[in-house]
Amino acid sequence: MPRLIKDGAIVEDQWLLADPDNPSPAPEQVLSLEQWMALEDKAGDPVQLEPGQAPTPLFDHLSEIPMVVVHFPTFMDGRGFSYARELRERGFKGELRAAGHFMRDQMTYLHRCGFDAFQMADESQLEEALASLADFSEHYQASIDQPQPLFRRR
């Protein structure tokens, strides 16, 4: 079973990856945005966003979605950072998972934007990646995880 970092620990993943070509996804399968939008009852179904798929269609259903997966096909595509911030600012409280090709050096920033789960393309780096979440004890800037800048917290 695949493993990931969730809420500061390495855990086994209970979800199957999104398969946009599957006409009838399994109950434990993450849905592509197109599959999710085709559902009449969207409550309880996780959805995956790809680069270029803004989270706008999700906004009216945020309280019903248990998990949003933001796929990073390459570590150079930063749109997922903005998607996470938008989702959290609009009140999404479920699991927000970064999945794919991102570097462990980016994980602190992903977390600051609102991600609470990390599914790396290379699971062999999970231990080092988990440790990297504690690289910084303080942040100057305001963010989703700390709305007040440092000078306001003093």
Side-chain angles (χ1 to χ4, degrees):
M1 191 166 277
R3 298 180 315 144
L4 62 115
I5 296 171
K6 181 176 175 181
D7 297 325
I10 297 174
V11 299
E12 290 189 359
D13 189 8
Q14 304 300 317
W15 294 98
L16 299 173
L17 297 174
D19 182 3
D21 299 325
N22 186 351
S24 55
E28 63 275 355
Q29 184 132 34
V30 176
L31 303 177
S32 69
L33 182 59
E34 293 80 14
Q35 291 168 328
W36 182 84
M37 288 177 61
L39 296 174
E40 286 186 35
D41 181 16
K42 295 170 177 26
D45 288 300
V47 61
Q48 178 169 309
L49 296 174
E50 296 291 336
Q53 294 179 325
T56 311
L58 309 179
F59 291 163
D60 291 336
H61 305 277
L62 293 179
S63 64
E64 304 166 355
I65 302 171
M67 176 175 65
V68 175
V69 178
V70 179
H71 183 231
F72 289 84
T74 174
F75 74 91
M76 297 182 342
D77 193 328
R79 290 176 280 190
F81 290 82
S82 299
Y83 297 167
R85 181 190 50 78
E86 280 186 87
L87 287 164
R88 292 298 189 203
E89 284 178 347
R90 294 205 178 245
F92 180 64
K93 302 288 186 214
E95 178 181 328
L96 188 53
R97 181 184 296 190
H101 298 275
F102 52 88
M103 298 182 299
R104 70 176 195 219
D105 294 349
Q106 294 174 309
M107 287 180 55
T108 295
Y109 305 108
L110 289 164
H111 186 262
R112 299 213 64 218
C113 290
F115 287 99
D116 55 5
F118 308 91
Q119 186 174 18
M120 302 182 79
D122 181 3
E123 284 187 31
S124 69
Q125 296 182 18
L126 284 177
E127 296 290 337
E128 295 86 8
L130 178 59
S132 77
L133 287 173
D135 283 350
F136 300 97
S137 60
E138 195 63 72
H139 304 283
Y140 292 113
Q141 304 86 356
S143 188
I144 293 298
D145 69 339
Q146 178 54 260
Q148 294 289 322
L150 182 63
F151 75 91
R152 294 265 186 233
R153 290 180 271 146
R154 290 189 172 193

